[in-house]
Amino acid sequence: QVQLVESGGGLVQAGGSLRLSCAASGSIFSIGAMGWYRQAPWKQRELVARITSGGTTNYADSVKGRFTISRDNAKNKVYLQMNSLKPEDTASYYCTVVQVLNTYWGQGTQVTVSS
């Protein structure tokens, strides 16, 4: 089992920045892709950004140029730097980790962007 703990969420004004962190612990081996999803009230959960074990990244169109995903394999951590935040970025953000055939999810961290 892998446990994921997110941190770094909060309340920020539009145009501001936040950095989310996610730490993986437990039975850590063969960690593959790591990523961030988000879910706003009354909306489906959507992929925000993803990074493979080799460092290849992909982003949702809505965050390209504003968000940057990175990972520290030595520390089993993944980060999401969010700049130029918009009210529509308000959501709960979830960290995910793929290990072999399993996908693990964190408990989520709330990001609220005020206009």
Side-chain angles (χ1 to χ4, degrees):
Q1 286 284 341
V2 175
Q3 293 80 45
L4 302 174
V5 178
E6 300 105 332
S7 61
L11 173 64
V12 65
Q13 287 189 330
S17 298
L18 284 174
R19 187 188 192 216
L20 305 183
S21 299
C22 174
S25 62
S27 182
I28 304 293
F29 63 93
S30 299
I31 294 294
M34 306 178 83
W36 291 92
Y37 284 72
R38 67 185 180 187
Q39 186 168 21
W42 313 112
K43 291 188 177 180
Q44 287 189 330
R45 191 170 293 189
E46 62 174 356
L47 174 68
V48 176
R50 179 177 178 272
I51 183 168
T52 68
S53 57
T56 300
T57 59
N58 62 283
Y59 297 91
D61 288 343
S62 59
V63 307
K64 282 181 181 177
R66 299 189 297 122
F67 291 11
T68 302
I69 189 171
S70 60
R71 63 190 285 171
D72 185 332
N73 292 328
K75 296 182 178 179
N76 297 313
K77 288 187 172 182
V78 61
Y79 306 96
L80 187 68
Q81 178 66 44
M82 305 185 294
N83 299 327
S84 302
L85 282 161
K86 303 176 181 180
E88 51 263 45
D89 295 319
T90 295
S92 292
Y93 284 71
Y94 298 88
C95 168
T96 69
V97 164
V98 174
Q99 183 186 58
V100 190
L101 297 180
N102 297 314
T103 298
Y104 296 94
W105 293 81
Q107 82 288 352
T109 185
Q110 179 66 33
V111 172
T112 302
V113 184
S114 63
S115 57

